[in-house]
Amino acid sequence: MFEPVLTRNIHRPDSEKIATYLAYGGYQAARKALLEHTPEELIEIVKRSGLRGRGGAGFPAGVKWGFLPKDPQIQKIVAVNTDEGEPGTFKDRQIVENDPHQIIEGVIIASYAVGASRAYVYIRGEFFLGVKRWIKAIADAYEHGFLGKNILGTDFSLDMSVHRGAGAYICGEETAMLESLEGKPGNPRLKPPYPAQIGLFGLPTLVHNIETLACIPHIVARGAEWFASIGTKDSKGPKIFSVSGHVKHPGNYELPLGTPLNEIIFEHAGGLRGDKKLKAIIPGGASTAVLTADQVDIPMSFEDLEKAGSQLGTGAIVVMDESTCMVEAARRTSKFFAHESCGRCAPCRIGSVRLYETLDRIEHGKALADDIERALYLAENIDGRTFCPMGAALVGFPRSTILKFREEYEYHLLHKQCYVNQH
Amino acid sequence: MLPEAKPKIGNPRTRAMLLSALYIAQEQYGWLSPEAIQRVAQRLQLTPGQVYSTASFYTMFRMQPEGRYIIQVCEGLSCYLVGGADPLIDHLSKRLKIKPGETTPDGKFTLQIVQCLAACDCAPALKVNDELYGNLTLEKIDELLMELSEK
Ligand SMILES: Cc1cc2nc3c(=O)[nH]c(=O)nc-3n(C[C@H](O)[C@H](O)[C@H](O)COP(=O)(O)O)c2cc1C
Ligand code: SF4
Ligand code: FES
């Protein structure tokens, strides 16, 4: 049986309080990191652990730490991404609300390792309870001497503050988040330069998702080898899977990376509601390509999902049963992305709206004869041609539904009504 | 060599406070009126244009007066799959006698549609101001409206 790591405390009463965190061994890893390890050793440990970013892109964390300049004269920053806007994802909200100190401890260790003296938390504006929990946790960490000057009697100092976003999905993209932290509209920046070179206020900045940061204390406490023993070849450690849609028990399930999707759906989430037949699954949030029911035995790892033409993304699994109209699912999702395009570049600003309008026409029986081709053409010309990865994100799911469920689209086109309701 | 840029206005340090300042102004003025924008600009030594461009980018900043209770119904995929989204929106529309995007004449309720409140585990979900409500049914919505009307 796999013992939860990141969520092991969240069901305890008062799990968000520093007293609870300390009672179960909290801040011991920060102590160990600061007193027993050099920054270089910590970077090596994180590299050896195989930890990859949990914010969607899966970049190796230790490698990213190594990108920041070593010169102690250069001020460095850690930026903590709690923007969680990817539809279907609700893991970060749960960690922040129920175990914020775990993240702070990760931030302390990461900051010490890369030589940062300042950490900024960016949190989605809608997460009102999360904001309160962040503020309280940071204040308590200061009071206990885990933040501020000369932490644990060392010469390492770190200040940390919380900044609330204000309702824009794109601000989860790391460079848009930095713009937002600077008080500007959240338009992404061109990369390179990467934030590790030029980030917040022009300073080298390490950006991480909070689930990535929550892994850090455990890696330091239990060792890189322990962490690397969980998971698959290229996907190490525990992962929180947010499961929603047509399952009996929607919720967050923490499991090793590489756990088969059917185990997550049928054992952990209780199988399908009303024991209906499985039709399709979004494996990693609304920007990832759909899987069909016959792919349900796939291991939930970065490499296996990539091989299957999709992505692990945020690990948000949306389960759809046989009653689901795939055209409607795609239409709904593309509406979200059309609304959330930041407007900086034409393929995304205009393309996202045209794609939504096209799918909307098909769904509502008003399609033009070539609308399926049009949707595919739009997807081809958005993907890879945009300023930031939003372009790829917005076409991923709709395009995959056309490729895998084309007969439903054609039925809609021909009969001006839904395939699912007729079969 | 390029001449060094000397910004006359728009201190980056004060600009970083802009989102927080806008939240405070919105709280005080009820919405970000031209007067509120001016005031924030003065206080942070920014131009009204800089303040407006940021304020208008974010959906949580109100650029027009809105109701005391802003009801945001999720129409995301996970909520839709379990019977949420459209039926809830239609129901609220009927009960409040307004369309999504509108405010009741008494200024009490504004109805808005959003996608994914990161509460898909308790879908269908909606938010009223800062409060999240999940596992909704039409009956629960009626109870909620009743409660809010009496406040
Ligand atoms: C459109 C878009 C939205 C994103 N939204 C988020 C988000 O809400 N939260 C997050 O942690 N990362 C998000 N990311 C990924 C970030 O850009 C970045 O890769 C991540 O925060 C890095 O942290 P990690 O290495 O720990 O994963 C988004 C990326 C894109 C392109
Ligand atoms: S791809 Fe979309 S979100 Fe990204 S910069 Fe272009 S318009 Fe903005
Ligand atoms: S889809 Fe409604 S809360 Fe996520």
Side-chain angles (χ1 to χ4, degrees):
Chain A
M1 248 309 266
F2 171 75
E3 286 287 327
V5 178
L6 309 172
T7 54
R8 75 195 190 296
N9 281 337
I10 62 168
H11 303 293
R12 297 188 199 284
D14 297 329
S15 65
E16 78 280 8
K17 303 223 166 96
I18 194 163
T20 315
Y21 191 63
L22 287 169
Y24 292 95
Y27 289 109
Q28 289 303 327
R31 193 176 294 274
K32 185 172 170 192
L34 267 56
L35 301 180
E36 295 173 25
H37 289 294
T38 63
E40 293 72 33
E41 281 168 13
L42 289 168
I43 296 177
E44 267 319 300
I45 291 172
V46 174
K47 275 188 189 161
R48 276 210 320 276
S49 75
L51 172 65
R52 294 173 66 172
R54 308 298 199 226
F59 194 81
V63 176
K64 189 149 79 177
W65 292 19
F67 286 159
L68 278 91
K70 300 276 177 286
D71 184 349
Q73 299 301 318
I74 303 174
Q75 200 196 336
K76 279 154 287 220
I77 288 176
V78 170
V80 183
N81 194 341
T82 330
D83 199 49
E84 188 163 70
E86 177 82 357
T89 318
F90 45 90
K91 65 184 176 72
D92 293 348
R93 187 169 70 84
Q94 195 182 44
I95 313 177
V96 174
E97 289 178 0
N98 299 309
D99 201 355
H101 287 285
Q102 185 176 208
I103 317 165
I104 296 178
E105 188 168 12
V107 173
I108 295 168
I109 298 168
S111 301
Y112 170 71
V114 301
S117 54
R118 191 74 175 78
Y120 291 83
V121 172
Y122 188 82
I123 178 160
R124 182 172 168 181
E126 286 91 342
F127 287 2
F128 195 65
L129 180 60
V131 175
K132 286 204 280 194
R133 292 274 158 94
W134 257 130
I135 292 173
K136 172 79 175 122
I138 289 174
D140 287 346
Y142 266 102
E143 202 161 287
H144 282 74
F146 298 121
L147 289 172
K149 289 226 175 330
N150 301 107
I151 297 169
L152 300 171
T154 65
D155 57 8
F156 172 65
S157 302
L158 177 68
D159 281 309
M160 188 162 174
S161 55
V162 181
H163 300 261
R164 190 175 170 200
Y169 166 72
I170 193 60
C171 288
E173 194 282 329
E174 55 188 5
T175 61
M177 180 179 87
L178 299 177
E179 288 287 295
S180 186
L181 280 168
E182 291 181 6
K184 299 173 196 160
N187 297 113
R189 298 175 184 171
L190 198 61
K191 289 193 274 192
Y194 291 93
Q197 304 162 285
I198 300 179
L200 192 61
F201 306 121
L203 300 171
T205 304
L206 177 70
V207 183
H208 269 310
N209 171 264
I210 62 163
E211 189 187 355
T212 317
L213 288 163
C215 293
I216 303 293
H218 305 286
I219 293 172
V220 171
R222 299 164 79 169
E225 287 63 35
W226 160 79
F227 193 84
S229 73
I230 304 168
T232 65
K233 184 171 155 287
D234 293 324
S235 309
K236 304 295 190 193
K239 173 84 191 81
I240 305 174
F241 296 101
S242 303
V243 189
S244 66
H246 290 141
V247 286
K248 284 189 188 135
H249 308 298
N252 282 320
Y253 297 95
E254 185 188 347
L255 294 161
L257 276 168
T259 301
L261 181 55
N262 50 7
E263 183 189 321
I264 300 176
I265 296 174
F266 292 99
E267 284 177 36
H268 301 282
L272 272 70
R273 291 185 176 204
D275 294 315
K276 287 205 179 136
K277 230 174 91 196
L278 177 65
K279 176 171 186 177
I281 315 103
I282 295 178
S287 61
T288 60
V290 73
L291 302 176
T292 49
D294 57 1
Q295 290 175 293
V296 73
D297 54 357
I298 191 168
M300 289 293 286
S301 72
F302 290 104
E303 64 270 26
D304 286 289
L305 282 158
E306 219 157 282
K307 247 184 275 158
S310 188
Q311 280 167 306
L312 182 70
T314 59
I317 299 166
V318 183
V319 178
M320 293 170 267
D321 71 20
E322 56 196 334
S323 72
T324 313
C325 169
M326 296 314 290
V327 183
E328 172 57 18
R331 182 198 75 88
R332 198 164 276 276
T333 306
S334 70
K335 184 179 177 190
F336 169 79
F337 286 108
H339 182 260
E340 295 299 334
S341 166
C342 89
R344 162 155 278 178
C345 62
C348 169
R349 180 184 65 242
I350 303 171
S352 62
V353 176
R354 291 289 170 268
L355 182 60
Y356 165 61
E357 290 169 349
T358 307
L359 297 175
D360 193 59
R361 279 198 301 270
I362 301 174
E363 168 64 20
H364 290 117
K366 297 184 182 132
L368 311 173
D370 58 349
D371 264 351
I372 298 176
E373 291 316 317
R374 177 171 291 104
L376 286 172
Y377 170 85
L378 282 164
E380 281 319 306
N381 283 284
I382 294 168
D383 193 2
R385 290 187 165 86
T386 53
F387 194 82
C388 86
M390 174 81 150
L394 83 95
V395 304
F397 175 60
R399 178 173 54 194
S400 67
T401 60
I402 303 178
L403 299 177
K404 292 187 170 160
F405 297 93
R406 191 172 172 123
E407 67 286 359
E408 287 192 29
Y409 280 84
E410 286 176 346
Y411 193 94
H412 264 274
L413 208 70
L414 206 64
H415 302 280
K416 313 224 172 294
Q417 56 182 323
C418 186
Y419 175 88
V420 179
N421 295 337
Q422 306 305 315
H423 285 77
Chain B
M1 225 177 74
L2 289 168
E4 201 182 320
K6 285 206 190 87
K8 290 204 179 60
I9 197 149
N11 179 341
R13 296 232 164 255
T14 57
R15 193 167 186 178
M17 297 176 214
L18 184 50
L19 267 70
S20 310
L22 287 168
Y23 271 120
I24 295 169
Q26 176 161 277
E27 184 82 27
Q28 286 177 358
Y29 289 80
W31 63 292
L32 295 175
S33 60
E35 191 197 342
I37 297 273
Q38 274 291 350
R39 185 96 180 97
V40 171
Q42 266 171 9
R43 288 296 293 263
L44 297 187
Q45 295 177 304
L46 302 171
T47 64
Q50 286 174 319
V51 176
Y52 185 83
S53 81
T54 293
S56 59
F57 184 85
Y58 297 93
T59 53
M60 287 177 71
F61 293 131
R62 303 191 282 276
M63 306 312 283
Q64 67 278 317
E66 272 163 13
R68 208 169 108 209
Y69 298 110
I70 300 174
I71 305 179
Q72 299 186 313
V73 188
C74 177
E75 64 158 4
L77 184 56
S78 302
C79 284
Y80 159 77
L81 290 175
V82 298
D86 303 8
L88 306 196
I89 296 163
D90 292 345
H91 185 73
L92 276 159
S93 241
K94 260 194 224 118
R95 291 290 313 263
L96 298 171
K97 302 191 182 66
I98 51 173
K99 288 203 276 293
E102 293 179 350
T103 301
T104 52
D106 62 0
K108 198 139 193 195
F109 296 102
T110 299
L111 182 60
Q112 293 176 348
I113 300 179
V114 295
Q115 273 211 29
C116 202
L117 296 162
C120 330
D121 50 342
C122 46
L126 64 71
K127 262 187 70 196
V128 181
N129 298 348
D130 290 324
E131 210 67 46
L132 187 67
Y133 298 86
N135 298 315
L136 291 167
T137 56
L138 298 188
E139 293 73 49
K140 278 196 196 163
I141 287 182
D142 286 341
E143 280 166 32
L144 181 62
L145 281 183
M146 193 91 91
E147 205 180 292
L148 295 174
S149 304
E150 281 163 11
K151 270 201 211 163

